[in-house]
Amino acid sequence: MKIWTSEHIFNHPWETVTQAAWRKYPNPMTPSIIGTDVVERKVVDGVLHTHRLVQSKWYFPKWTHALIGTAKTCFASERSTVDPERKQMVLKTNNLTFCRNISVDEVLYYEPHPTDAGKTLLKQEATVTVYGVPLSHYMEDILTSTISTNAGKGRQGLEWVIGRINTEVKGIAESAARGTDELIHNTRRSIDEVTESARKGMDEISVQAVKAAKAMHIT
């Protein structure tokens, strides 16, 4: 059995990072992840519980095929909880493919940085076990190394998604600003039109009043 752990700090608040985590796939940094499907989602006592299937490609050396078999597409089960009050997101993933010989249990914790609320601390750990086949320790080393490499790519992918979110927010803000400017412009134009119409009305009333006064004088 091999245990791998890692910590990483994102220079973004917890709300931004967790939003990006939901939209993490697909991204160009981790093409091995093909897609995700939501199996179940519910809210219990204010905590969001989600179960997803993750579809991916695992690239094993050819010599392992005779030991554990092959699979063009691999599946994993991901169960997560998001507690907005405690500001904690936990994702637990375990493999479904090759599970007769390989067990990969991975946990990710997203929490606000303890000393900087504008940052997010990611704690990641994985337990890898290979059993029932020769060279099991060597295969565990290969899997652990792959997990470490993929974790770095995953963090890059998350930053990529955060960049997209920030671009979207900026676009919405700019669109809202343009809409506000247009509304102000139209409102001012409407006020000017009403004012001009009222002025013309008052001028007409004044003219009519003068005419009426002259007519009474003549009479």
Side-chain angles (χ1 to χ4, degrees):
M1 181 177 69
K2 297 288 183 180
I3 299 177
W4 174 86
T5 62
S6 175
E7 289 190 3
H8 179 76
I9 297 174
F10 291 97
N11 293 319
H12 312 281
W14 180 83
E15 292 80 2
T16 301
V17 174
T18 52
Q19 182 184 358
W22 287 121
R23 301 172 54 180
K24 187 176 179 180
Y25 305 113
N27 71 74
M29 283 66 177
T30 54
S32 61
I33 305 298
I34 301 173
T36 59
D37 293 297
V38 176
V39 177
E40 182 183 20
R41 178 167 287 169
K42 59 184 178 181
V43 176
V44 180
D45 297 329
V47 179
L48 175 64
H49 296 255
T50 305
H51 180 203
R52 299 195 298 182
L53 284 181
V54 181
Q55 188 178 3
S56 65
K57 292 182 179 180
W58 282 18
Y59 301 99
F60 286 108
K62 289 185 178 181
W63 61 266
T64 65
H65 296 176
L67 301 176
I68 62 174
T70 60
K72 292 183 178 180
T73 303
C74 300
F75 293 91
S77 172
E78 177 197 83
R79 296 181 182 275
S80 63
T81 58
V82 180
D83 189 336
E85 184 174 348
R86 295 175 58 194
K87 289 191 175 183
Q88 183 183 68
M89 180 178 190
V90 181
L91 295 94
K92 298 181 179 181
T93 307
N94 64 281
N95 64 296
L96 301 177
T97 308
F98 302 121
C99 59
R100 289 184 298 178
N101 301 112
I102 298 174
S103 172
V104 178
D105 297 309
E106 188 175 13
V107 185
L108 288 81
Y109 302 89
Y110 292 94
E111 299 175 336
H113 192 277
T115 60
D116 190 340
K119 297 180 180 181
T120 301
L121 176 62
L122 166 62
K123 295 181 180 179
Q124 192 171 357
E125 60 184 55
T127 304
V128 180
T129 307
V130 178
Y131 40 85
V133 295
L135 302 173
S136 58
H137 293 296
Y138 183 52
M139 291 182 65
E140 289 172 353
D141 288 338
I142 293 176
L143 285 168
T144 303
S145 177
T146 301
I147 290 172
S148 179
T149 300
N150 289 341
K153 294 179 180 178
R155 292 191 290 267
Q156 293 175 5
L158 203 60
E159 290 284 2
W160 181 82
V161 174
I162 290 172
R164 289 192 62 183
I165 292 175
N166 289 337
T167 299
E168 292 174 2
V169 171
K170 182 179 178 181
I172 293 173
E174 290 176 350
S175 178
R178 287 195 298 269
T180 301
D181 291 342
E182 184 177 351
L183 177 61
I184 293 173
H185 174 73
N186 291 336
T187 301
R188 286 176 177 173
R189 186 173 61 183
S190 297
I191 292 173
D192 291 342
E193 291 175 352
V194 170
T195 301
E196 180 64 18
S197 177
R199 186 187 64 78
K200 290 180 179 179
M202 291 299 296
D203 290 344
E204 185 176 349
I205 291 173
S206 298
V207 171
Q208 293 297 328
V210 171
K211 289 181 178 180
K214 288 182 179 179
M216 291 178 61
H217 180 72
I218 295 172
T219 304

